[in-house]
Amino acid sequence: MAGFEVQTREHVVFVDITSQVAAAAVESGARDGVVVVYVPHTTAGVTINENADPSVRADMKLALERLVPRSLPFTHLEGNADAHVKASLTGSSVIVPLADGRLQLGTWQGVYFAEFDGPRRRRVLVSVLAAR
Ligand code: ZN
């Protein structure tokens, strides 16, 4: 099981982790298979989206904030219920095909760590399932 840490510096932020995921895939030695990226946290997630125009990340942040505002009458005592809901909406894992040792992401795709209750030090786990 490979992985790496992400230090987020904002309360809500999408961090491009594509290069770290690609590096973990290379380190596995696998050429073909699938790469599972997993975030073991309840107020953060992982998603794949556009890596060219940064405004897409800003728009995702805006949309999630409108969908799940912190001002809702939540009951979770810790005060970060919105982050829990956003993490579930985003999801805890993504799967990327691996071919010839390279992630098969589309031209405009990147893998993003989604922080919803930062800043925090977070972990990302990467499992490579090699095809035989
Ligand atoms: Zn909580």
Side-chain angles (χ1 to χ4, degrees), residues 43 70 76-85 116-117 120:
T43 56
R70 295 181 84 180
H76 180 51
L77 291 176
E78 203 183 8
N80 60 355
D82 66 303
H84 288 292
V85 175
F116 298 116
D117 195 24
R120 291 186 192 224

